[in-house]
Amino acid sequence: MPLAPALAERPATTGARTGLPARLRATVVAPGDLDDVTRRAAFALFRAHYEGADQERFERDLAGKQRVILLRDRATGALRGFSTVLYQPVRIGAREAMFVFSGDTVIDRSCWGQKILQSAFASLLFRLKLRHPGRPLYWFLISKGWRTYLLMANAFPRAVPRFDRPEAPELRAALDVLAAERFGAEYDAAAGVIRYATPHERVRDGVAPVDASVLANPHVRFFVERNPGHADGEELACLAEVRLRDLARVAGRICGARVFSRRAR
């Protein structure tokens, strides 16, 4: 049965007085707590932004995660974005660590620029880090779009790959282990890219175009150079070490952005 038009497919509501995009609020839930309406809205939103989206694969990704960050319109409750999250302990060499893996992620284009997802994800990382402050915490990210890569590059300086500093050998080794365990032969360690054996979704044309304006950002240029097949759905494998000082810096940026936004209104 085809999906009925979901809230996620409708244009985001704007404030009648301000004309600004819908303001978002974030909640973090377990996948099993999602009702059918929310699941349909999430897949509709995902399909609107990614060509080749497959509902069975989408549901499988969702079932393999422990948390889902939901972004809703404060005024209407409509779903405007989400991100799925897996976290679990792992042994890297002789050390025990915790890694967080980001799965399907999308935000309605009308709400780009808001920092709600970053804030919710940073809070989750902060809680995980405080549980085991002496244990390394890694964010394992795969990215087929430059916007997702920028989230990592802007927040966590100790990460691979990035253009502006030499790679830490231990981070590269850890990334290769995690990517090979999760993706097997689909992970090309030499290129640092995941090439799926079966067709996967890709960012729809026009959603996040790589034009001259975005290529002015050196992180974007680097992403495109390292993952030339991104438009076909190939994913750049990335790993960032999450440190408390990095999270504090992220929190400061988010608070500053919120203050500026309130003043602008």
Side-chain angles (χ1 to χ4, degrees):
M1 177 188 296
L3 294 177
L7 290 172
E9 294 178 306
R10 301 172 189 168
T13 304
T14 57
R17 296 180 181 177
T18 65
L20 294 172
R23 293 183 61 201
L24 301 177
R25 61 180 173 84
T27 56
V28 182
V29 301
D33 293 336
L34 298 176
D35 58 29
D36 289 341
V37 172
T38 302
R39 286 175 177 270
R40 289 197 299 268
F43 180 68
L45 184 62
F46 189 69
R47 184 177 57 189
H49 289 74
Y50 290 96
E51 185 175 332
D54 177 80
Q55 187 163 12
E56 182 178 346
R57 186 167 59 239
F58 174 83
E59 291 287 349
R60 191 164 56 245
D61 177 89
L62 188 60
K65 301 299 188 294
Q66 286 124 320
R67 293 291 182 268
V68 184
I69 301 172
L70 301 175
L71 306 178
R72 295 188 181 276
D73 185 324
R74 285 181 178 271
T76 68
L79 188 69
R80 299 300 180 207
F82 68 90
S83 182
T84 62
V85 181
L86 166 71
Y87 50 89
Q88 64 185 44
V90 63
R91 181 169 291 277
I92 304 294
R95 299 192 68 184
E96 285 193 359
M98 177 72 72
F99 89 93
V100 177
F101 177 70
S102 295
D104 291 339
T105 300
V106 64
I107 301 176
D108 190 282
R109 291 179 67 185
S110 65
C111 300
W112 285 1
Q114 299 189 45
K115 304 295 184 183
I116 303 302
L117 177 59
Q118 292 95 315
S119 178
F121 186 59
S123 295
L124 188 152
L125 292 175
F126 183 72
R127 291 193 298 271
L128 288 174
K129 185 63 178 175
L130 286 185
R131 288 181 192 174
H132 303 281
R135 179 188 296 179
L137 176 63
Y138 298 110
W139 178 20
F140 178 26
L141 171 70
I142 59 173
S143 176
K144 62 172 70 71
W146 59 266
R147 294 183 64 87
T148 308
Y149 174 77
L150 273 183
L151 293 178
M152 184 204 73
N154 288 334
F156 301 105
R158 185 167 161 76
V160 293
R162 54 185 303 144
F163 80 95
D164 53 351
R165 60 188 63 206
E167 285 199 347
E170 67 276 16
L171 282 182
R172 170 53 62 182
L175 174 57
D176 287 342
V177 168
L178 292 171
E181 287 182 351
R182 189 164 188 86
F183 297 101
E186 293 178 324
Y187 176 57
D188 180 348
V193 169
I194 297 153
R195 301 186 178 95
Y196 295 106
T198 57
H200 269 56
E201 62 275 349
R202 65 180 185 86
V203 179
R204 287 190 180 276
D205 293 340
V207 170
V210 180
D211 54 26
S213 63
V214 299
L215 286 173
N217 186 314
H219 288 299
V220 177
R221 289 200 305 272
F222 176 78
F223 170 81
V224 173
E225 290 168 1
R226 290 296 297 266
N227 186 16
H230 65 93
D232 297 321
E234 295 182 4
E235 310 245 27
L236 183 66
C238 310
L239 190 72
E241 182 177 358
V242 178
R243 303 172 297 183
L244 287 175
R245 60 179 176 271
D246 298 325
L247 292 172
R249 185 174 57 254
V250 170
R253 289 175 180 171
I254 292 171
C255 289
R258 288 178 178 172
V259 169
F260 178 81
S261 177
R262 292 192 186 102
R263 290 177 177 174
R265 296 193 185 102

